[in-house]
Amino acid sequence: MAVISKIIHSVCSWLGRHRLLAVFSILSLLIVLFIFIPLAKLILFSDKSELWQALLDPSVMQSILLTLYAALITAAIGFLLGVPLAYLLARNNFPLKGVVEGLIDLPIVVPHTAAGIALLFVFGRNFLLGKWFNAIGISFVDSLAGIVIAMLFVSVPFLINSAKDGFRKIDVRLENVARTLGASPWQVFYRVTFPLAWRSILAGTLMMWARGISEFGAVVILTYYPMVTSTLIYERFATYGLTQSVPVAAILVIICAFIFIGFRFVLQRDRKHD
Amino acid sequence: MAVISKIIHSVCSWLGRHRLLAVFSILSLLIVLFIFIPLAKLILFSDKSELWQALLDPSVMQSILLTLYAALITAAIGFLLGVPLAYLLARNNFPLKGVVEGLIDLPIVVPHTAAGIALLFVFGRNFLLGKWFNAIGISFVDSLAGIVIAMLFVSVPFLINSAKDGFRKIDVRLENVARTLGASPWQVFYRVTFPLAWRSILAGTLMMWARGISEFGAVVILTYYPMVTSTLIYERFATYGLTQSVPVAAILVIICAFIFIGFRFVLQRDRKHD
Amino acid sequence: MIELKNLHVKVADFLLEQVDLVVSKGEYTVILGPTGAGKTVLLESIAGLHALSHGEIILDGKDVTGTAPEARGVSIVYQDYSLFPHLTVKENIIFGLRVRHTAKPQIDEALHWISGLFEIQPLLNRLPASLSGGERQKVALARALITRPHILLLDEPLSALDAESREEMRSQLKTIHDKLNITTLHVTHDFEEAMSLADTIVVINQGKIAQVGPPAEIFYHPSSEFVARFTMARNIFSGKVIGRDTKSSVFRCDAIEIFASSDNTKAGFAVIRPEMLQLTAEKPILISNSFPGSVKTIVDKGANILVTVDCSPQFECLLPRQQFEHMVINTGSPVYISFLPSSVHLI
Amino acid sequence: MIELKNLHVKVADFLLEQVDLVVSKGEYTVILGPTGAGKTVLLESIAGLHALSHGEIILDGKDVTGTAPEARGVSIVYQDYSLFPHLTVKENIIFGLRVRHTAKPQIDEALHWISGLFEIQPLLNRLPASLSGGERQKVALARALITRPHILLLDEPLSALDAESREEMRSQLKTIHDKLNITTLHVTHDFEEAMSLADTIVVINQGKIAQVGPPAEIFYHPSSEFVARFTMARNIFSGKVIGRDTKSSVFRCDAIEIFASSDNTKAGFAVIRPEMLQLTAEKPILISNSFPGSVKTIVDKGANILVTVDCSPQFECLLPRQQFEHMVINTGSPVYISFLPSSVHLI
């Protein structure tokens, strides 16, 4: 009894002295558990044999490979187009820069179904760009190309912002010195700027890949078939109910979590490098 | 002719001297237009009278109000629980801090349908917490509560990260000075720390609100009815096709864009304040 | 009064070890040390902002080792002044009274007094961002002193100022200290600043106290090679004592023998401050230490000229400008270096 | 050679106006000015890193106003050295040759030469993060000089160093400059640093050139009150010339009259450097400027002692330490301040 009362007493006195910390810790714990428990339960408590079975299901496997592949293409396109934009935003001032920066972030907050509608409105067979592309045999509806543009739209902001932060962190004077030492702007970019921003760009690319894999709202509007995994989960849930969709959801969460751990790892090493 | 050749000549010489800028600008323009054109077309080129008609449709109006309301409750809960967590993460070191920070970001990359499945797996009527809450009359399936937890799960990371950055930007020495001047930890928090981080917190809250409004994947799993606007767009699209869903999508994009402009505005003023 | 007993603190990469120090009531003590020596950590530990690994802190006779910072009666002023950017100058200054729920008339009275003391009445309604460096510092001091703390901790208070306002604030710090008679601990890496302000100087290096004493003692009698170097004694010769008569020791270093009126026969270093050297064209008479050499470099330091003389070992000699201008010395000129045995300090 | 003709540059908040300057080939020129005077902007403009609003830059007779930075043959070394953190010391140093696609044997030869010059061979395979401040600076200089630039720009190269390595690097800068005979422009806010290094000092204030001249001229004959204040002339009295005889002018200020051997009868200020004042207990004879007063404050500055004497106006007098220690002066002591008419500068 004496021991217990002593423990209670010391906890109380700690709370007294650190009331702010105590209250904040309790509130924080609530939100951490709210995020942790569902994911943990999905991954840890779903039946292992069911997971395995789901993996062996060819339609599941196919959709996972399709998703990973489409998201990879998306990330590559994002890399090619997003890194230059990030560099311009980080280093140059130009008219409407604020508007462009705002525009880049819009896809994060715009409802993804609405984004899908907007994309269809431009890339659909009967509209604008869709018509032109159709003429050369590329369709953005119910096709890999459709998945890619849907993923690109919602995920490229993550790469651009991460790369922009990476470029911003680099002291302009390093680039200045490189110039005075005789390097052309291209040489400065590939010998100094890009290597120094590399981790941020890589982190952004991984984040973009993961976001692409996880996209549902925009993709489902443009391309129901071939089915990405998010759509598959939704269809299984709508058709067969919760238990049938859990293993697929668990697999996808695990894949994303793995990519994401890579992303955190890159970021972590980045910080140590500073 | 002389004038034209002069213009061409000067453009070419500019490109020669600024090849890096020129190439980067062209690549950047592609991605900016890719984001801009669909959104612009959705908002500007959808028929105004159809927009108006859609607004007068009671089911549309109801779903918009429900969405705004649910996202507002979500943002309030996120504020209450997320700000303390952000403060702890910004100011304290504790075991597993890196893990907690990673966990907070997971909802951004986890597929939202999978997130919905995970939430249902915990909050569903037959599971764990769902059972307890059911006993006191709260159901998370096909209810406002369900919408809220789905929105909370996917949007709270934005608030936590923004608030964390805000707290981090504050020099610890300001808090130290306040302590030595006689302020208790609570007084330091509400007189110094919170006011200084206020803009970042507000920006994060707005971002969270907008993300909540735009959520589809997680909400649709937990709560198909009552229908949030994202779901309504999807249903109209699936049932009636593109043209029927465009006006609703346009309205929702406009609402999100407005909230988002507020967010950018807050951030902008924040920067000037520094 | 501040008593530190066997203090050990570890904060990130900084480590304070075995700090024992007594600062008397009302004394102006300067903690002098290079960047990264742990000076700021020491101040913050006294203010209660770091947990101690070991040791005790006693302020005015009361053990405050476990006391919260807000209950210690210790004010700290940081190098960048750390004014609350969202509060006006007035709100900044009365912050300490506000959080204590002091009554309005008393707050007004204290504000009147302190803003008169620092002559900052015209600034009261401005925001910190619009103030100059010197003004910010006055506000920071006013904010620190309005709560009438027993102890004032100053963390490099002059480093962020330009040369002119630095001189002005230096004299203001001295004046305020003398007027309020408040125990003050002032941290700096600037030797000249320490000399001009301190009653006592505490030299600190790598988290440990290297020497404690009045300025003149630190200046003339550094206790270690580190202190000698850090106080720019410049002529620090390693060697050993090879003889001793009634009045002086003989210290051998390279090719020369130096007479020193010190009885430290175990010494490994002879230190002669550059101000104490005489530089003459002719060999001086009646001085026991006098060595021929040739001028190697002449560096103009404004008020003084630093002349380096090659005579194995190399001597550095600081001449007043006027004296230098009356001599005709160029690089290569043959000269004599001479100094009194009493100017030699053996450690 | 550097020629700047009517340079105007605007960068963010900094504005350079009407800068005309000629730096001869091989000269060591120091640009001296307070923080925010536009010193760094000036260097960067010469290197071609800012677009000019107006004016011309001519390097070694060639107009480079529109030339890209990489084609100017100008190297810049920043205060924090700006070493590429992802490259080893060796890769940093040979960067300038690599981007020029220099052949390997020539790179090796140049590396050998420059690393010998700076004695940094042992550092070649390390990363910049592991170097000390002094080492970083040597590497930055080696990197800047390996391309054999015509002009070397140094942006506060000594500010980031502690007192000891600062002295060492100062002499190394001088040595390197003399050895390579490279036109050098060195920016600093430290008056003493400027005095000890410069062939010519350019004083700059608020984006404009305030004075150009050799160190002694800046020191003894400041052209404006600002330059006098910035070079710590301390005794700057406002007043006017009330008489003039064959040998000297009479300058009236407050209650006293000062004899000056200057013929500037329109002067508004008399400047007497504190090193030029004599402080005596007795009234000196045969000196035209001598005023009684009493000691107000005594500030120990290490090598010198600063004594403030109240005699309307207030004089500040810098005494060599040894001289001060032989006198018996305390606060309140009656003393005489005296100085030669030739020590008075009228502006």
Side-chain angles (χ1 to χ4, degrees):
Chain A
M1 269 317 280
V3 175
I4 292 173
S5 90
K6 210 171 158 193
I7 289 172
I8 291 174
H9 182 257
S10 74
V11 167
C12 287
S13 99
W14 185 87
L15 285 178
R17 271 180 296 129
H18 301 272
R19 256 180 306 178
L20 181 90
L21 269 183
V23 173
F24 275 26
S25 299
I26 291 166
L27 292 173
S28 299
L29 201 62
L30 283 176
I31 194 78
V32 170
L33 289 180
F34 173 69
I35 294 174
F36 177 70
I37 291 176
L39 294 176
K41 195 173 172 218
L42 184 68
I43 296 173
L44 302 177
F45 292 90
S46 59
D47 194 320
K48 295 292 166 297
S49 66
E50 272 175 25
L51 271 189
W52 195 241
Q53 222 176 339
L55 258 182
L56 294 179
D57 179 342
S59 67
V60 171
M61 204 58 212
Q62 235 168 37
S63 89
I64 287 177
L65 288 178
L66 174 70
T67 309
L68 291 176
Y69 178 61
L72 203 59
I73 294 176
T74 308
I77 296 174
F79 182 87
L80 190 71
L81 303 180
V83 170
L85 178 59
Y87 181 72
L88 291 184
L89 289 173
R91 277 290 181 261
N92 293 79
N93 277 316
F94 48 84
L96 294 181
K97 182 177 167 181
V99 174
V100 171
E101 285 187 306
L103 187 67
I104 295 304
D105 281 346
L106 257 184
I108 298 176
V109 293
V110 155
H112 293 166
T113 43
I117 299 283
L119 285 170
L120 201 57
F121 209 29
V122 171
F123 289 98
R125 273 189 204 103
N126 307 318
F127 302 95
L128 212 68
L129 294 173
K131 245 185 226 164
W132 307 347
F133 278 101
N134 236 356
I136 57 165
I138 298 176
S139 166
F140 293 100
V141 180
D142 291 337
S143 71
L144 180 64
I147 297 173
V148 168
I149 62 162
M151 284 178 172
L152 184 63
F153 189 85
V154 297
S155 66
V156 79
F158 291 93
L159 170 61
I160 295 174
N161 286 333
S162 179
K164 190 171 73 178
D165 286 349
F167 287 129
R168 276 226 180 99
K169 263 191 281 173
I170 301 170
D171 192 341
V172 190
R173 290 180 300 180
L174 290 175
E175 301 184 347
N176 286 349
V177 166
R179 286 299 292 280
T180 65
L181 289 173
S184 69
W186 283 106
Q187 286 178 316
V188 172
F189 186 76
Y190 79 76
R191 282 187 185 271
V192 178
T193 316
F194 188 80
L196 287 174
W198 168 238
R199 283 168 194 285
S200 296
I201 293 170
L202 182 62
T205 309
L206 283 173
M207 185 95 176
M208 188 179 168
W209 194 32
R211 262 310 276 115
I213 291 170
S214 69
E215 182 49 23
F216 170 55
V219 171
V220 81
I221 298 277
L222 282 167
T223 304
Y224 201 94
Y225 291 104
M227 224 180 241
V228 296
T229 318
S230 280
T231 313
L232 186 74
I233 293 169
Y234 177 69
E235 202 196 45
R236 296 239 163 156
F237 174 72
T239 321
Y240 309 107
L242 186 59
T243 41
Q244 286 298 306
S245 57
V246 162
V248 188
I251 291 169
L252 200 53
V253 166
I254 290 169
I255 291 173
C256 284
F258 261 100
I259 296 174
F260 182 69
I261 287 166
F263 156 81
R264 298 285 311 175
F265 184 69
V266 168
L267 267 192
Q268 220 66 35
R269 287 190 49 194
D270 189 25
R271 243 176 242 154
K272 273 179 202 152
H273 195 70
D274 285 346
Chain B
M1 271 313 282
V3 176
I4 292 172
S5 90
K6 210 173 159 191
I7 289 173
I8 291 173
H9 182 257
S10 74
V11 166
C12 286
S13 99
W14 185 88
L15 285 178
R17 269 180 296 127
H18 301 274
R19 256 180 306 177
L20 181 91
L21 269 183
V23 173
F24 275 26
S25 299
I26 292 166
L27 292 173
S28 299
L29 200 63
L30 283 177
I31 194 78
V32 169
L33 289 179
F34 173 69
I35 294 174
F36 177 70
I37 292 176
L39 293 175
K41 194 174 173 216
L42 184 69
I43 295 173
L44 301 177
F45 291 90
S46 58
D47 193 322
K48 295 291 164 302
S49 66
E50 272 174 24
L51 271 188
W52 195 242
Q53 223 177 335
L55 257 183
L56 293 179
D57 178 343
S59 67
V60 171
M61 203 61 213
Q62 236 170 34
S63 90
I64 287 178
L65 288 178
L66 173 70
T67 309
L68 291 176
Y69 177 62
L72 203 60
I73 294 177
T74 307
I77 296 174
F79 182 87
L80 190 71
L81 303 180
V83 170
L85 177 58
Y87 182 72
L88 291 185
L89 289 173
R91 279 289 180 260
N92 293 80
N93 279 317
F94 46 84
L96 294 181
K97 181 177 167 180
V99 174
V100 171
E101 285 187 304
L103 187 66
I104 296 304
D105 281 345
L106 257 185
I108 299 176
V109 294
V110 156
H112 292 167
T113 43
I117 300 283
L119 285 169
L120 199 58
F121 209 29
V122 171
F123 289 98
R125 272 190 204 101
N126 306 319
F127 301 95
L128 212 70
L129 294 173
K131 243 186 226 163
W132 306 348
F133 277 101
N134 236 359
I136 57 166
I138 297 176
S139 166
F140 291 100
V141 179
D142 293 337
S143 71
L144 180 64
I147 297 172
V148 167
I149 61 161
M151 286 178 171
L152 184 63
F153 189 85
V154 297
S155 66
V156 78
F158 291 93
L159 170 60
I160 294 174
N161 286 334
S162 179
K164 190 171 74 178
D165 285 349
F167 287 130
R168 276 226 180 100
K169 264 191 283 175
I170 302 170
D171 191 342
V172 190
R173 289 180 300 181
L174 290 174
E175 301 183 350
N176 286 350
V177 166
R179 286 299 292 279
T180 65
L181 289 172
S184 69
W186 283 105
Q187 286 177 315
V188 172
F189 186 77
Y190 80 77
R191 281 186 186 272
V192 177
T193 316
F194 188 79
L196 287 175
W198 169 236
R199 284 170 193 285
S200 296
I201 293 170
L202 182 62
T205 310
L206 282 173
M207 186 92 175
M208 187 179 168
W209 195 32
R211 262 312 273 118
I213 291 170
S214 68
E215 182 49 23
F216 170 55
V219 172
V220 81
I221 298 277
L222 281 166
T223 305
Y224 200 93
Y225 293 104
M227 223 180 245
V228 295
T229 318
S230 280
T231 313
L232 186 74
I233 293 169
Y234 177 69
E235 203 196 43
R236 295 235 166 160
F237 174 73
T239 319
Y240 308 107
L242 186 59
T243 41
Q244 286 298 307
S245 56
V246 163
V248 189
I251 292 169
L252 200 54
V253 167
I254 291 169
I255 291 173
C256 283
F258 261 102
I259 295 173
F260 182 68
I261 288 166
F263 155 81
R264 298 285 310 176
F265 185 70
V266 167
L267 266 192
Q268 221 65 37
R269 288 191 47 195
D270 187 24
R271 244 175 241 156
K272 273 179 201 150
H273 196 69
D274 285 344
Chain C
M1 197 170 84
I2 306 171
E3 288 170 84
L4 308 179
K5 291 187 183 165
N6 195 19
L7 219 62
H8 288 67
V9 189
K10 190 169 162 28
V11 181
D13 292 342
F14 291 100
L15 187 69
L16 278 184
E17 282 177 296
Q18 227 181 311
V19 175
D20 281 286
L21 184 66
V22 176
V23 177
S24 309
K25 202 169 177 63
E27 204 177 56
Y28 200 113
T29 299
V30 174
I31 298 179
L32 177 68
T35 314
K39 306 186 296 288
T40 303
V41 171
L42 179 56
L43 286 198
E44 290 180 338
S45 301
I46 295 172
L49 298 164
H50 297 302
L52 309 184
S53 331
H54 198 262
E56 283 173 42
I57 298 175
I58 296 163
L59 303 180
D60 289 333
K62 217 173 65 188
D63 186 333
V64 298
T65 312
T67 310
E70 60 265 35
R72 291 194 180 196
V74 171
S75 280
I76 192 164
V77 174
Y78 280 106
Q79 177 172 4
D80 61 358
Y81 316 133
S82 298
L83 298 177
F84 304 126
H86 59 305
L87 301 180
T88 63
V89 166
K90 181 182 159 187
E91 290 166 338
N92 261 284
I93 293 175
I94 63 175
F95 184 91
L97 301 176
R98 274 265 174 84
V99 296
R100 284 187 175 76
H101 308 294
T102 310
K104 182 130 187 3
Q106 278 154 284
I107 290 184
D108 287 343
E109 193 186 321
L111 180 67
H112 182 76
W113 164 70
I114 201 87
S115 55
L117 191 63
F118 286 96
E119 297 170 354
I120 47 175
Q121 295 96 336
L123 308 178
L124 290 180
N125 291 316
R126 283 165 63 183
L127 280 172
S130 72
L131 303 181
S132 74
E135 289 169 343
R136 279 177 208 200
Q137 201 195 34
K138 288 181 187 181
V139 174
L141 281 170
R143 182 179 64 177
L145 291 170
I146 201 171
T147 56
R148 301 276 191 161
H150 305 300
I151 289 155
L152 180 62
L153 305 175
L154 304 170
D155 182 24
E156 306 243 2
L158 304 174
S159 310
L161 302 174
D162 56 60
E164 254 188 289
S165 14
R166 196 179 302 168
E167 295 244 330
E168 191 197 322
M169 283 313 303
R170 181 142 68 181
S171 75
Q172 183 152 27
L173 280 181
K174 196 77 183 168
T175 314
I176 295 291
H177 169 258
D178 293 349
K179 209 177 270 179
L180 303 182
N181 196 30
I182 183 171
T183 312
T184 305
L185 220 57
H186 172 139
V187 150
T188 184
H189 65 269
D190 182 336
F191 171 59
E192 203 185 294
E193 193 176 308
M195 286 297 287
S196 64
L197 277 166
D199 296 325
T200 303
I201 292 179
V202 180
V203 183
I204 187 169
N205 187 31
Q206 296 183 334
K208 286 182 183 162
I209 290 181
Q211 188 172 4
V212 180
E217 191 184 313
I218 305 285
F219 194 75
Y220 286 118
H221 301 292
S223 66
S224 64
E225 196 206 348
F226 167 78
V227 178
R229 282 205 190 285
F230 194 69
T231 56
M232 296 303 270
R234 290 174 185 274
N235 302 297
I236 301 162
F237 305 125
S238 115
K240 62 180 179 190
V241 176
I242 55 164
R244 167 100 196 129
D245 65 16
T246 46
K247 276 167 61 195
S248 55
S249 306
V250 183
F251 184 90
R252 178 162 198 96
C253 150
D254 288 6
I256 64 169
E257 286 175 9
I258 296 171
F259 292 86
S261 49
S262 156
D263 55 4
N264 180 358
T265 54
K266 295 212 177 73
F269 294 96
V271 179
I272 312 132
R273 293 205 59 92
E275 304 86 359
M276 296 296 142
L277 297 179
Q278 302 293 332
L279 192 72
T280 47
E282 311 279 297
K283 185 173 169 65
I285 39 174
L286 291 177
I287 285 189
S288 37
N289 293 311
S290 121
F291 308 99
S294 68
V295 172
K296 195 178 163 203
T297 61
I298 299 172
V299 178
D300 190 331
K301 297 174 79 72
N304 302 286
I305 313 290
L306 184 69
V307 179
T308 315
V309 177
D310 239 346
C311 63
S312 165
Q314 174 175 305
F315 281 93
E316 293 184 40
C317 172
L318 204 61
L319 299 177
R321 190 179 192 89
Q322 274 193 303
Q323 187 187 330
F324 176 81
E325 288 182 350
H326 288 136
M327 301 171 73
V328 186
I329 308 180
N330 290 306
T331 312
S333 301
V335 290
Y336 282 86
I337 284 286
S338 57
F339 46 90
L340 298 169
S342 62
S343 299
V344 184
H345 173 61
L346 297 183
I347 41 179
Chain D
M1 197 171 86
I2 306 172
E3 288 170 85
L4 307 179
K5 290 187 183 166
N6 195 22
L7 218 64
H8 288 68
V9 189
K10 189 167 163 31
V11 181
D13 293 343
F14 291 100
L15 188 69
L16 277 186
E17 282 178 296
Q18 228 181 310
V19 175
D20 281 288
L21 184 65
V22 176
V23 177
S24 309
K25 199 164 178 66
E27 205 178 55
Y28 201 115
T29 299
V30 174
I31 298 179
L32 177 68
T35 312
K39 306 186 296 287
T40 303
V41 171
L42 180 56
L43 285 198
E44 290 180 338
S45 302
I46 295 171
L49 298 164
H50 298 303
L52 309 184
S53 331
H54 198 264
E56 283 172 43
I57 299 175
I58 296 163
L59 303 181
D60 289 333
K62 217 174 65 190
D63 186 333
V64 298
T65 312
T67 310
E70 60 265 34
R72 293 195 179 196
V74 171
S75 280
I76 192 164
V77 175
Y78 281 107
Q79 177 171 5
D80 61 357
Y81 315 133
S82 299
L83 298 178
F84 304 127
H86 60 306
L87 301 180
T88 63
V89 166
K90 180 183 159 188
E91 290 165 339
N92 262 283
I93 292 175
I94 63 174
F95 184 91
L97 301 178
R98 274 264 175 85
V99 296
R100 283 187 177 78
H101 308 293
T102 310
K104 183 130 187 358
Q106 279 154 284
I107 290 185
D108 287 343
E109 192 186 322
L111 180 67
H112 182 76
W113 163 69
I114 202 87
S115 56
L117 192 64
F118 287 97
E119 296 169 357
I120 47 176
Q121 295 96 336
L123 309 177
L124 290 180
N125 291 315
R126 283 167 59 184
L127 279 172
S130 72
L131 304 181
S132 75
E135 289 169 343
R136 278 177 209 202
Q137 202 196 33
K138 287 181 188 182
V139 174
L141 281 170
R143 183 179 63 176
L145 293 171
I146 200 172
T147 58
R148 301 276 192 160
H150 305 300
I151 288 155
L152 179 63
L153 306 175
L154 304 170
D155 182 22
E156 306 242 3
L158 305 173
S159 311
L161 303 174
D162 55 60
E164 253 187 292
S165 17
R166 197 179 302 168
E167 294 243 330
E168 189 199 324
M169 283 312 303
R170 182 143 67 181
S171 75
Q172 182 152 28
L173 280 180
K174 196 74 181 170
T175 314
I176 294 290
H177 169 257
D178 294 349
K179 210 176 272 180
L180 304 182
N181 195 31
I182 184 170
T183 313
T184 305
L185 220 59
H186 171 139
V187 150
T188 184
H189 64 269
D190 182 336
F191 171 59
E192 203 186 293
E193 193 176 309
M195 287 296 287
S196 63
L197 276 167
D199 296 324
T200 303
I201 293 179
V202 178
V203 184
I204 188 169
N205 187 32
Q206 296 184 336
K208 287 183 183 160
I209 290 180
Q211 190 172 3
V212 180
E217 191 184 312
I218 306 285
F219 193 75
Y220 286 117
H221 301 291
S223 66
S224 64
E225 195 205 350
F226 165 78
V227 178
R229 282 206 189 287
F230 193 68
T231 56
M232 297 303 269
R234 291 175 185 274
N235 302 296
I236 301 161
F237 305 125
S238 115
K240 62 178 177 190
V241 176
I242 57 165
R244 167 99 196 127
D245 65 17
T246 47
K247 277 168 58 195
S248 55
S249 306
V250 184
F251 184 91
R252 179 163 198 98
C253 152
D254 288 9
I256 64 169
E257 285 174 9
I258 296 172
F259 292 86
S261 49
S262 156
D263 55 4
N264 181 357
T265 54
K266 294 211 176 73
F269 294 95
V271 179
I272 311 133
R273 294 205 60 91
E275 305 86 0
M276 297 296 140
L277 297 180
Q278 301 293 333
L279 192 73
T280 46
E282 312 279 296
K283 185 173 170 61
I285 41 174
L286 290 177
I287 284 188
S288 37
N289 294 311
S290 119
F291 308 100
S294 67
V295 173
K296 196 178 163 203
T297 60
I298 298 171
V299 177
D300 189 332
K301 295 174 81 69
N304 301 287
I305 313 290
L306 184 70
V307 180
T308 314
V309 178
D310 239 347
C311 63
S312 163
Q314 175 174 306
F315 281 92
E316 293 185 40
C317 175
L318 204 62
L319 299 178
R321 189 177 192 91
Q322 274 193 304
Q323 187 186 331
F324 175 83
E325 287 183 349
H326 289 136
M327 302 170 73
V328 186
I329 307 179
N330 290 306
T331 312
S333 302
V335 288
Y336 282 85
I337 284 287
S338 57
F339 47 91
L340 297 169
S342 61
S343 300
V344 183
H345 174 60
L346 296 183
I347 41 179

